[in-house]
Amino acid sequence: MTKKPRRTLRELEKDLKNPLSSAVRARRKALGYTQAELADRAGVSLHLLEEFELGRPTVRLDKALQIIEFLGGSIHASFKQTE
């Protein structure tokens, strides 16, 4: 079994350009949650939250909304914070 190559910091930064993902990540950090804590409290898997914060398009909208609502926000507010 071969390992997936590690992503470079530049590749990760490029993925973090997604405004909604960036807003969620910033809000999580502002509230002092680790990814594991937020995933547990919002009722989603850690893997899903990691993918969402990286801006991966595979995250289901209902799960993204579940995270945003737990953080006390809305999609509108999330986008407004990144402007």
Side-chain angles (χ1 to χ4, degrees):
M1 182 189 325
T2 60
K3 282 186 169 181
K4 289 173 78 173
R6 297 199 87 176
R7 296 176 56 116
T8 66
L9 182 57
R10 179 162 286 168
E11 290 170 322
L12 291 172
E13 287 173 347
K14 183 180 176 187
D15 284 343
L16 290 173
K17 299 290 185 198
N18 178 312
L20 184 56
S21 296
S22 296
V24 165
R25 185 169 199 248
R27 178 77 174 144
R28 173 183 61 79
K29 287 184 169 194
L31 292 173
Y33 289 122
T34 65
Q35 286 181 323
E37 289 169 331
L38 175 56
D40 183 56
R41 292 174 187 226
V44 299
S45 71
L46 176 57
H47 178 74
L48 182 135
L49 180 60
E50 290 169 339
E51 293 290 300
F52 182 57
E53 285 193 1
L54 288 172
R56 301 271 167 74
T58 57
V59 175
R60 292 180 15 202
L61 181 58
D62 63 324
K63 295 296 182 182
L65 290 173
Q66 194 172 336
I67 295 165
I68 293 165
E69 287 174 1
F70 175 82
L71 291 173
S74 67
I75 290 180
H76 176 72
S78 297
F79 278 110
K80 192 169 188 144
Q81 288 176 359
T82 61
E83 291 177 344

